[in-house]
Amino acid sequence: MNQSNNSKQVLLSVIGVAILVVAVVGVSFAFFNYTRTGPANTVSTGEIHFETTQSTVAVTNLFPVAATNVTATTEDNVATTEVNISGWTSYEYGLKYDVYADTVDLKGLPIKVKVFKEGTLTENATLTQYDGATAIGNGSKLAEGTIAKSTTAPTTTPTGKIIIKAYLDTDNILITDTDSTVTAPTGYTNGTDANGKTVVTTAQWNALATNAATFKIKVVATEGTA
């Protein structure tokens, strides 16, 4: 009888040890894990340094002038504004900049612009100039250019500028009070004569002396493309 009880105790002890081993092993596996942190992922930007300054456009005291007479140095009967641009960037394809006419209110006048460059805008900069064949409007592009990639700031100070000349082309406007040569006027546009010109009466022309045509210059810089 004692032998039977001892056998049961041994068996229960073995079962108990087995359960303990399973529990210990189970707990050991439950607490075991592997963690590894990889290298840092780099998220950085390129460098952009861009500045622009400009003078005010004063479209006053104009009188129609032949387009061929409008040059970078013309002062009579033209409105002049100057835009200075400088900058550098580490971006592979440089910085692209565009010069636009903005907030345009020409009072119905067919005002054109010619664009010229004087000196060096900034190191490694290019410029495409536009000689407007038609009157400017809101958003008209006047010039565009690119500042090439550079790893450091320019070594010289920009000495150039973009010169914008606004003018009234004699081929596009006629000031007259002779009814036989004009279409009945409507506001400042007044229809056109047989030659397709915008016609303005003397009274309307004189009214523009105190209610001038206006527009702003906007410069937009973006990352260049291949």
Side-chain angles (χ1 to χ4, degrees):
M1 188 69 174
N2 289 334
Q3 184 177 357
S4 177
N5 289 334
N6 290 336
S7 298
K8 290 180 179 180
Q9 289 176 356
V10 171
L11 178 60
L12 291 174
S13 297
V14 171
I15 293 173
V17 170
I19 292 173
L20 180 61
V21 170
V22 172
V24 171
V25 171
V27 170
S28 297
F29 275 113
F31 277 95
F32 179 76
N33 59 65
Y34 174 75
T35 301
R36 181 177 185 277
T37 302
N41 292 300
T42 302
V43 182
S44 63
T45 65
E47 290 188 81
I48 295 176
H49 301 266
F50 187 83
E51 293 183 2
T52 176
T53 60
Q54 54 199 273
S55 58
T56 302
V57 184
V59 190
T60 58
N61 293 327
L62 300 187
F63 198 78
V65 61
T68 54
N69 292 336
V70 179
T71 68
T73 58
T74 301
E75 296 297 335
D76 293 337
N77 296 315
V78 298
T80 303
T81 185
E82 298 176 350
V83 181
N84 297 280
I85 289 176
S86 64
W88 63 278
T89 180
S90 63
Y91 282 103
E92 183 65 26
Y93 299 110
L95 278 178
K96 184 178 184 299
Y97 59 87
D98 299 285
V99 182
Y100 297 97
D102 188 54
T103 318
V104 176
D105 180 10
L106 303 185
K107 310 301 182 187
L109 298 176
I111 293 177
K112 296 182 178 181
V113 298
K114 281 190 176 184
V115 181
F116 306 90
K117 184 184 78 168
E118 179 181 290
T120 303
L121 298 174
T122 193
E123 285 186 8
N124 302 318
T126 62
L127 175 70
T128 299
Q129 298 151 240
Y130 289 79
D131 184 357
T134 59
I136 62 172
N138 214 37
S140 293
K141 183 183 287 189
L142 308 181
E144 67 178 30
T146 301
I147 298 173
K149 174 185 177 181
S150 176
T151 56
T152 59
T155 58
T156 59
T157 302
T159 58
K161 55 193 172 185
I162 298 172
I163 302 172
I164 299 172
K165 298 286 185 177
Y167 67 102
L168 286 165
D169 191 340
T170 52
D171 288 340
N172 293 98
I173 190 167
L174 178 66
I175 305 169
T176 181
D177 293 321
T178 305
D179 293 338
S180 61
T181 65
V182 301
T183 303
T186 302
Y188 288 121
T189 56
N190 268 2
T192 58
D193 72 346
N195 295 318
K197 296 181 179 181
T198 295
V199 179
V200 181
T201 66
T202 302
Q204 290 172 328
W205 180 264
N206 291 339
L208 290 167
T210 55
N211 187 23
T214 61
F215 69 95
K216 297 179 181 179
I217 299 297
K218 179 173 70 173
V219 181
V220 179
T222 56
E223 182 184 1
T225 56

